[in-house]
Amino acid sequence: MTTAVKSNKIYFREQFGYFQSIRRKLAIGLIVLFILLPFVRYQSEAALNINVAAQTIRFFAITLYPQDLMIVGILFILAAFMLFYITRLYGRVWCGYTCPQTIWMLMFNWIERRIEGSHQQSKVLDKSGLNIHKIFKKVLKHSIWLLIAWLTACTFISYFVPVEELYFNLFNFKDYFLTQNWIIFFTVCTYINAGWVREKMCLHMCPYARFQSVLFDNHTKLVSYDEVRGESRGARKRNQIKSSGLGDCIDCKLCVDVCPVGIDIRNGLQYECINCGLCIDACDSVMDSFNYPRGLIKYNNLTDPVYRWKPHLTYGSVTLLAFLSLLIWIINRSDFEVDLQRDRNALYRVNYAGTVENTYTIKVLNKSQNAKEFQVTLQDNSEFVLEKQPIFRLLGGQSKTQVISVSSNSNQPLGKKQIVLQVTDLTKQNINTIYTRFYSPKQ
């Protein structure tokens, strides 16, 4: 597998500047959030926990069950169209600033620069023969990479296993074998992706890189090179008067040296570009040293929209619609679920009182995190009576199955009629209504 340059490994230079500062602050904030969120507690439980065995997702006061699959679908739709919307406006800024692959890749590169020196020194070290100096640096670098990868894997698993259980049993090889295997798996994946695969993930494996260009138009702000101002390129010394016919680009290739995917932005729009802005910071530093105006490389669009609202019509409208759907779902969500099934053995039977009786199995799930009391009642109907009106108490996340009987008030044939059962949350007085059928002989 090769990248956009001839070398199998891209040795990109560290760069500081305005956009790099934004990226580092975002990366630090996201990493801190990623690490600390599993430690946040809510009502003595993990505020965010994905329980695969129980098939639940807990997020503070909300617990999602398989019955809440709709919300998961809406969340994915919202996230997808938010990504499309941002891409439509600012290109692949997700890839450049907040993608975990980019954050971990640049983190591993930062460690490599601290241990092996500059990108040129790292290249020389790789080409040099085997010696104690090289072995020491390589062992140190890869050991730190593996440690970070292991900590990343442990943090990721802590979203599925509560932290107190995870870290208490981490080295209990007898009873914690499955969890340890998952930690090893994600450690290896992180180490390989961030340390070895690196930019090849962005260039060859990420599907977003392939279809993102169809989201662009002439109004999308992308990292671009001002060819009119920059050409013709030519090397020169500082404070030297620019020769006639030369542009502002001094052909230092610093924009290529700092690019994590190894492209030359001066060649125009390329799908490999992740819109990270490193080349902008590098070029601006060169322009400052030559007393040229900044912005030879910058975020720019080909044309400004005549109507500022037009770029927001498509993806913006769908994103807003998905957000409103999510909001409506949250407002209307019931914190208990009711399921009703008829007796499968017989449509009806005649009881000792000589009246027709139908039997149902009702299941109530308390989807909240607090204990609740529920009562099953029959909506006012002079023709039918509920033999009992059961009241039962359920703890948070607990379910109960109850058999109930509904009988007719008379011995007259009724045929098939609709009845309405109600399950009332006595804590909040919320009511869940169930429509079902009552069967009896027609004659």
Side-chain angles (χ1 to χ4, degrees), residues 196-378:
W196 293 91
V197 176
R198 306 210 300 183
E199 77 287 338
K200 294 178 179 65
M201 176 67 71
C202 307
L203 294 172
H204 305 292
M205 303 178 193
C206 178
Y208 180 50
R210 298 297 180 176
F211 72 75
Q212 46 92 21
S213 60
V214 303
L215 306 175
F216 298 169
D217 64 14
N218 291 337
H219 309 313
T220 305
K221 284 188 177 294
L222 302 170
V223 175
S224 58
Y225 166 68
D226 189 345
E227 189 174 351
V228 174
R229 176 185 156 189
E231 301 297 327
S232 296
R233 310 169 195 172
R236 71 208 69 164
K237 295 181 180 179
R238 295 180 185 178
N239 300 321
Q240 177 183 353
I241 298 175
K242 185 167 54 176
S243 303
S244 176
L246 285 180
D248 285 354
C249 179
I250 66 169
D251 202 21
C252 62
K253 295 185 174 60
L254 194 60
C255 57
V256 180
D257 291 340
V258 301
C259 181
V261 292
I263 65 171
D264 189 342
I265 194 63
R266 297 172 298 176
N267 294 334
L269 177 63
Q270 297 151 80
Y271 84 89
E272 297 94 341
C273 178
I274 59 174
N275 249 31
C276 63
L278 277 168
C279 55
I280 299 178
D281 287 333
C283 188
D284 283 347
S285 66
V286 174
M287 293 296 104
D288 290 344
S289 63
F290 279 82
N291 294 318
Y292 293 166
R294 288 188 168 196
L296 181 59
I297 300 175
K298 62 181 179 180
Y299 286 101
N300 194 24
N301 48 10
L302 294 178
T303 59
D304 288 322
V306 178
Y307 301 101
R308 296 288 179 179
W309 48 267
K310 275 194 172 181
H312 305 281
L313 276 182
T314 52
Y315 294 115
S317 301
V318 177
T319 302
L320 179 61
L321 183 62
F323 175 76
L324 291 176
S325 300
L326 177 63
L327 194 61
I328 292 170
W329 185 92
I330 292 174
I331 293 173
N332 295 318
R333 179 180 183 263
S334 174
D335 56 4
F336 68 98
E337 192 88 17
V338 180
D339 180 55
L340 183 73
Q341 291 184 349
R342 291 185 50 82
D343 185 355
R344 297 181 180 179
N345 295 321
L347 285 177
Y348 61 86
R349 65 171 180 266
V350 179
N351 58 24
Y352 292 107
T355 58
V356 178
E357 183 180 73
N358 282 201
T359 304
Y360 306 88
T361 302
I362 191 167
K363 181 179 180 181
V364 181
L365 169 65
N366 182 8
K367 294 162 60 175
S368 73
Q369 298 169 9
N370 304 312
K372 289 179 176 291
E373 285 190 342
F374 300 92
Q375 182 177 23
V376 182
T377 58
L378 181 66

Side-chain angles (χ1 to χ4, degrees), residues 82-101:
M82 281 184 66
L83 179 62
F84 298 160
Y85 185 29
I86 293 172
T87 304
R88 166 67 179 75
L89 297 176
Y90 302 108
R92 290 180 66 182
V93 290
W94 159 264
C95 298
Y97 290 85
T98 54
C99 176
Q101 176 70 21

Side-chain angles (χ1 to χ4, degrees), residues 57 64-78 322 324-330 332-333 337 367:
I57 301 175
L64 301 178
Y65 291 82
Q67 295 91 331
D68 299 312
L69 184 61
M70 177 62 73
I71 186 60
V72 179
I74 294 175
L75 280 171
F76 275 110
I77 292 172
L78 178 60
L324 291 176
S325 300
L326 177 63
L327 194 61
I328 292 170
W329 185 92
I330 292 174
N332 295 318
R333 179 180 183 263
E337 192 88 17
K367 294 162 60 175

Side-chain angles (χ1 to χ4, degrees), residues 25-35 97-99 103-104:
K25 290 175 182 176
L26 276 173
I28 291 171
L30 291 171
I31 290 172
V32 169
L33 182 65
F34 172 66
I35 293 172
Y97 290 85
T98 54
C99 176
I103 292 174
W104 261 254

Side-chain angles (χ1 to χ4, degrees), residues 334 336 338 377 421-425 428-434:
S334 174
F336 68 98
V338 180
T377 58
L421 291 167
Q422 292 179 332
V423 179
T424 305
D425 174 5
K428 292 185 176 180
Q429 296 301 316
N430 293 334
I431 297 175
N432 199 322
T433 303
I434 311 163

